[in-house]
Amino acid sequence: IDLFAGIGGFHLALHNLGAECVFASEWDEHARETYKHNFKDKSPNLFRDDNFAGDITLVDKNKIPSFEILTAGFPCQPFSPIGQQKGFDDTRGTLFFDIAEIIMLKQPKAFFLENVSGIFSHNDGKTFSRIKSVLTEELKYSFKEYKVKASNYGLPQFRPRLFMIGFKNPKLFIDEPVKQDLLFNMSHVMRGDAER
């Protein structure tokens, strides 16, 4: 399932690996329109079966279809230097607990979460510690975090992010991907000759 789906980065990546998205949630009207345009042909059942929800806080989480992998790029503004950094005191910051509730109810095999790298040090590390504690101590999943920059994986963008990955089987984990040189830079993009 694809929570806080944006325009579907997680959906596209997992679809390309052979996974089927059975439920998605995105509240922003313009992102929803783009998401539907991007995936109505790739995942028609998602839209036909009315499993493309808006605000996750209004969803009856018991009615979410069974799934094996939960992905979520939950709102980063409460943890970002660009935002006011109110963390869990910001309503958007509490949306992580909706993710935790869905994991508790549905017991997927794995989760893959994404946020700004600043969440790692937000509130002197207490925010990240709380997230990790919920996922490992309360929900009993394995947990590994990865600080990554898109530029280390072939893309011409700095964009540091924190990925958090865990498995129901606490012995499982994923090694950090092997870094690679830039495939192209913004000059290539502007000239229209970037590798596709």
Side-chain angles (χ1 to χ4, degrees), residues 116-168:
V116 292
S117 60
I119 200 171
F120 193 74
S121 57
H122 180 266
N123 194 20
D124 296 324
K126 292 175 186 164
T127 298
F128 179 76
S129 179
R130 176 72 176 125
I131 289 170
K132 184 174 180 179
S133 171
V134 167
L135 294 168
T136 59
E137 295 174 26
E138 295 180 24
L139 298 175
K140 307 299 185 191
Y141 278 72
S142 70
F143 184 93
K144 181 70 178 170
E145 75 273 2
Y146 304 92
K147 284 185 180 181
V148 299
K149 295 183 291 188
S151 58
N152 286 338
Y153 300 95
L155 299 175
Q157 184 181 39
F158 181 68
R159 195 170 170 81
R161 309 302 282 178
L162 186 72
F163 292 145
M164 296 165 272
I165 300 172
F167 295 90
K168 182 69 177 162

Side-chain angles (χ1 to χ4, degrees), residues 53-119:
D55 186 343
I56 193 63
T57 65
L58 303 178
V59 170
D60 181 346
K61 295 171 180 64
N62 289 295
K63 293 183 178 178
I64 293 174
S66 295
F67 61 93
E68 295 183 337
I69 303 169
L70 178 147
T71 65
F74 60 104
C76 61
Q77 298 91 336
F79 314 108
S80 171
I82 296 174
Q84 295 182 3
Q85 294 189 300
K86 292 183 178 179
F88 294 141
D89 292 329
D90 183 320
T91 303
R92 295 168 299 180
T94 63
L95 292 171
F96 163 75
F97 297 104
D98 287 278
I99 295 168
E101 182 183 359
I102 292 168
I103 292 172
M104 181 189 68
L105 289 170
K106 297 303 207 174
Q107 298 290 306
K109 290 182 179 179
F111 64 79
F112 191 159
L113 310 180
E114 176 266 337
N115 210 288
V116 292
S117 60
I119 200 171

Side-chain angles (χ1 to χ4, degrees), residues 11-68:
H11 187 145
L12 180 62
L14 290 176
H15 175 84
N16 288 344
L17 293 172
E20 177 188 357
C21 184
V22 297
F23 178 87
S25 175
E26 172 55 51
W27 70 271
D28 181 83
E29 177 185 345
H30 301 294
R32 285 176 60 80
E33 185 178 332
T34 303
Y35 192 100
K36 189 169 185 178
H37 175 79
N38 287 343
F39 298 107
K40 64 183 176 184
D41 294 330
K42 289 181 176 70
S43 302
N45 290 336
L46 177 65
F47 304 99
R48 216 174 12 244
D49 296 339
D50 198 31
N51 281 316
F52 183 40
D55 186 343
I56 193 63
T57 65
L58 303 178
V59 170
D60 181 346
K61 295 171 180 64
N62 289 295
K63 293 183 178 178
I64 293 174
S66 295
F67 61 93
E68 295 183 337

